[in-house]
């Protein structure tokens, strides 16, 4: 699977669904090989590639949603060490917060909540999450955390 993904770093729809199926139905040993073989990094690169597109399209949001489902499943199976070991991943997950796509936001918040409750690394996760929010605010030229105030006002 990594060879297929590695040849073209941008995953198309068919490969994305194949990846999701393989990850969600994988044996524990396959998933560990995938995770520690660089699979999480490639998933993260694809999330980053989608985030660079402006404006974010529905197809990109859907792809990021499916990629986050893969990351969440890896977290459940292999633990959060793989997630914390992938540089920039937590901040990148924060950047997926686009409140016009409810399902995407729910996945992001669920993953971040789990990261914040992960024992000894919770303080490190908090730092990375805050850094992600600050960068996101700067990128969108907003006051820090204004994104949450807007989302709460819409509820």
């Amino acid at each position: 699977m990594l060879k297929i993904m590695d040849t073209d770093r941008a995953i198309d729809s068919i490969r994305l669904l194949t990846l999701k199926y393989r990850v969600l139905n994988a044996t524990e040993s396959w998933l560990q090989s995938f995770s520690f073989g660089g699979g999480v990094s490639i998933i993260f690169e694809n999330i980053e590639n989608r985030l660079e597109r402006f404006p974010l399209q529905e197809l990109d949001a859907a792809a990021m949603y499916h990629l986050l489902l893969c990351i969440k499943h890896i977290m459940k199976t292999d633990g959060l060490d793989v997630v914390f070991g992938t540089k920039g991943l937590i901040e990148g997950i924060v950047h997926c917060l686009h409140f016009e796509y409810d399902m995407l936001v729910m996945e992001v918040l669920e993953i971040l909540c789990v990261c914040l409750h992960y024992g000894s690394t919770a303080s490190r996760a908090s730092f990375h999450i805050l850094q992600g929010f600050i960068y996101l605010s700067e990128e969108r030229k907003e006051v820090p955390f204004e994104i949450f105030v807007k989302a709460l006002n819409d509820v």
Side-chain angles (χ1 to χ4, degrees):
M1 179 55 84
L2 284 177
K3 286 181 183 178
I4 292 170
M5 290 172 58
D6 220 8
T7 57
D8 181 14
R9 293 285 194 183
I11 300 176
D12 61 29
S13 298
I14 293 172
R15 282 193 258 175
L16 174 63
L17 293 175
T18 302
L19 168 68
K20 179 183 159 195
Y21 178 81
R22 288 293 306 262
V23 168
L24 296 181
N25 296 295
T27 63
E28 192 172 328
S29 63
W30 186 92
L31 201 55
Q32 286 177 346
S33 297
F34 175 81
S35 300
F36 292 105
V40 175
S41 296
I42 293 173
I43 290 173
F44 177 48
E45 285 177 28
N46 276 274
I47 289 172
E48 283 185 314
N49 290 340
R50 302 272 180 186
L51 287 170
E52 289 175 0
R53 299 175 185 175
F54 185 80
L56 187 71
Q57 301 294 315
E58 254 184 81
L59 186 60
D60 296 320
M64 289 190 310
Y65 171 78
H66 291 290
L67 291 166
L68 289 173
L69 286 176
C70 292
I71 288 174
K72 186 167 79 172
H73 187 73
I74 291 168
M75 288 169 55
K76 287 179 183 175
T77 307
D78 289 340
L80 291 180
D81 294 335
V82 174
V83 173
F84 288 123
T86 304
K87 186 174 169 54
L89 179 60
I90 294 174
E91 293 92 333
I93 291 171
V94 172
H95 297 167
C96 292
L97 283 172
H98 287 269
F99 286 98
E100 58 272 24
Y101 302 107
D102 294 341
M103 294 300 293
L104 181 62
V105 170
M106 294 304 289
E107 281 306 308
V108 169
L109 294 177
E110 190 174 322
I111 290 170
L112 295 179
C113 286
V114 169
C115 290
L116 287 172
H117 288 90
Y118 184 66
S120 63
T121 55
S123 61
R124 187 171 58 162
S126 304
F127 173 77
H128 290 295
I129 291 169
L130 288 173
Q131 287 296 107
F133 282 125
I134 291 168
Y135 177 78
L136 185 64
S137 297
E138 290 172 358
E139 187 177 83
R140 294 181 182 175
K141 296 178 180 27
E142 298 174 340
V143 176
F145 307 106
E146 182 179 351
I147 190 170
F148 280 118
V149 174
K150 286 180 185 176
L152 290 171
N153 285 332
D154 290 343
V155 173

